Amino acid sequence: MPHLIIDGEVVDSVTAEQAAQWLTVMPQVMCMTPFTPVYIFQDEAGLRGFVMIAESHLSIHVKGQEIHLDMFSCKKFDIIDVIMRAITHYQMKIHRCIVLHERLMLA
């Protein structure tokens, strides 16, 4: 169950079209099953978008040059491939990648 979180910055502003394209293409690349349309919201707080997939979700949050991508799945996916596609798609500089694999059980 990988959960990948990518935090970074972009040189150029991210458009709603770029975000929608990412959220449309990545479930296919990751062999996932989208079951909602892609939702994009843009206002003074920034740009946000998400798509629900049968295996969980993908989301994007952008404010100014900051970008945050979140991909969680109950099914394994190629984490390095997703990171490289993010760098290429958004021409982004990555500040931090977090990969969570297992649940932490607290008693």
Side-chain angles (χ1 to χ4, degrees), residues 26-40:
M26 288 313 295
Q28 297 167 10
V29 167
M30 297 165 67
C31 299
M32 306 296 171
T33 310
F35 70 85
T36 67
V38 169
Y39 292 99
I40 302 290

Side-chain angles (χ1 to χ4, degrees), residues 1-4 26 29-32 71-83 99 101:
M1 289 190 299
H3 187 170
L4 172 62
M26 288 313 295
V29 167
M30 297 165 67
C31 299
M32 306 296 171
M71 286 131 301
F72 179 64
S73 174
C74 295
K75 184 177 170 184
K76 289 184 181 180
F77 61 89
D78 187 336
I79 292 166
I80 300 301
D81 182 54
V82 172
I83 293 168
V99 180
H101 279 286

Side-chain angles (χ1 to χ4, degrees), residues 12-105:
D12 297 319
S13 297
V14 174
T15 66
E17 291 78 23
Q18 283 177 304
Q21 181 184 25
W22 174 262
L23 294 171
T24 300
V25 169
M26 288 313 295
Q28 297 167 10
V29 167
M30 297 165 67
C31 299
M32 306 296 171
T33 310
F35 70 85
T36 67
V38 169
Y39 292 99
I40 302 290
F41 307 93
Q42 192 164 16
D43 57 22
E44 65 280 347
L47 177 103
R48 289 141 349 260
F50 72 93
V51 63
M52 297 300 295
I53 56 175
E55 300 79 9
S56 193
H57 73 276
L58 284 75
S59 68
I60 179 172
H61 303 267
V62 181
K63 183 164 185 165
Q65 303 314 108
E66 278 184 44
I67 184 169
H68 308 279
L69 302 170
D70 181 8
M71 286 131 301
F72 179 64
S73 174
C74 295
K75 184 177 170 184
K76 289 184 181 180
F77 61 89
D78 187 336
I79 292 166
I80 300 301
D81 182 54
V82 172
I83 293 168
M84 296 308 295
R85 286 174 185 269
I87 292 168
T88 302
H89 185 76
Y90 292 109
Q91 298 298 302
M92 70 183 292
K93 176 181 176 185
I94 293 181
H95 293 296
R96 175 175 60 177
C97 285
I98 300 169
V99 180
L100 305 171
H101 279 286
E102 299 293 329
R103 293 183 203 154
L104 175 63
M105 302 299 281

